[in-house]
Amino acid sequence: MSDRIGFVGLGRMGQPMALNMARKGFALNVFDTRPEQQQPFTEFNTCEQVASAPDAAKGAACCITVLPGPAEVDSVVLGAGGILDNLEPGSIMMDLSTILPEVTDKVAAACKEKGVHFVDAPIGRLASHADKGESLFMVGADKEIFERVKPMLEAMGTTILHCGGPGAGTRAKLVNNFLAITSCWMNAEAMALTKAFGLDLATTLDVIHGTSATNGQLKMNYATKVFQGDIEPGFQIDLAHKDLTLIVESANKAKVPMPVAAAAREALSGARASGWGGKDFSGLADYCCELAGVEKPRL
């Protein structure tokens, strides 16, 4: 087993994080289903572009996945001839995806049976933070394994939080994203109301940021995205809808009522039905303003 790291999933979040690892000297086997996503790694002689996810795992000390959802993680990691079948005992499988806790637990159990260590470390913050190596990671891992993966995570982020044993990271991410996405939708409605009332946007934001109504979406995401007229992802509305679906499904299984999450998900269903699914989730503000027939919020 070498010191190479497999990295599977080079999308809007995965690619910049893998690039930050490459810049800091990590030897990577990189793979994405879209070959063009691998091209930026040609400038690093420590990086090898491989032909499949299993190839990324072969001989690797750790394989990292950043995949769209639970079905992809289940298939790519646990499928016949997949990543787990190509990891050696004593190596690490680290999933950064946002998925169902039951799938995380299933992968963790399969890894344990093979003698592979499992880590779930979903990503916090925005794509712009991933670009700059400033992501946050919510980590579920045994303590000893957490110390082994921490340098990898520090190459991609600035805040590494050990939430507990395997599975704790996934569960922390669902709690976080419930607040982040529902806040984003409430902000969208608030912005439509601001424009409908004829209020000055900058002054209204000063009011909000000066009270307990303030929130990170308005300060971090809206300020740099929709208020500047940029609604390209980022974090797609489609993915936000997927996460709310995971949240509602997981809460139902735990018998935890989540009426706000369910309402927000259906609000995002409306945006998706209207063709907004591929836009950044801050673009919900523009969507709400279109519904209300008012000017879009811009600073």
Side-chain angles (χ1 to χ4, degrees), residues 230-245:
D230 177 10
I231 59 171
E232 295 307 307
F235 182 55
Q236 290 183 354
I237 291 170
D238 279 339
L239 291 176
H241 183 273
K242 181 267 293 184
D243 284 2
L244 283 175
T245 299

Side-chain angles (χ1 to χ4, degrees), residues 39-96:
Q39 289 306 307
F41 296 88
T42 56
E43 66 177 278
F44 301 98
N45 57 20
T46 56
C47 294
E48 181 179 349
Q49 300 176 52
V50 296
S52 71
D55 287 340
K58 289 177 181 175
C62 176
C63 189
I64 298 170
T65 49
V66 189
L67 299 172
E72 291 82 0
V73 171
D74 193 319
S75 172
V76 173
V77 178
L78 299 183
I83 287 175
L84 184 56
D85 282 350
N86 286 278
L87 284 173
E88 299 177 19
S91 62
I92 299 171
M93 171 66 227
M94 181 159 62
D95 182 38
L96 311 187

Side-chain angles (χ1 to χ4, degrees), residues 199-258:
L199 296 171
D200 177 71
L201 178 58
T203 303
T204 304
L205 290 172
D206 286 340
V207 171
I208 293 168
H209 294 326
T211 74
S212 60
T214 193
N215 61 78
Q217 282 297 322
L218 278 179
K219 284 190 170 182
M220 294 169 62
N221 198 28
Y222 274 51
T224 59
K225 294 291 287 182
V226 68
F227 289 159
Q228 306 303 319
D230 177 10
I231 59 171
E232 295 307 307
F235 182 55
Q236 290 183 354
I237 291 170
D238 279 339
L239 291 176
H241 183 273
K242 181 267 293 184
D243 284 2
L244 283 175
T245 299
L246 299 180
I247 290 159
V248 171
E249 182 177 338
S250 298
N252 285 343
K253 288 178 180 175
K255 297 183 180 179
V256 176
M258 301 283 283

Side-chain angles (χ1 to χ4, degrees), residues 246-295:
L246 299 180
I247 290 159
V248 171
E249 182 177 338
S250 298
N252 285 343
K253 288 178 180 175
K255 297 183 180 179
V256 176
M258 301 283 283
V260 173
R265 181 183 63 177
E266 292 315 297
L268 268 62
S269 292
R272 297 175 75 222
S274 298
W276 287 77
K279 300 302 182 183
D280 187 78
F281 72 146
S282 69
L284 289 168
D286 282 3
Y287 167 70
C288 279
C289 286
E290 280 196 3
L291 287 180
V294 298
E295 183 183 358

Side-chain angles (χ1 to χ4, degrees), residues 120-135:
D120 51 304
I123 309 153
R125 299 181 181 154
L126 306 171
S128 58
H129 295 99
D131 293 338
K132 296 180 285 187
E134 297 175 354
S135 293

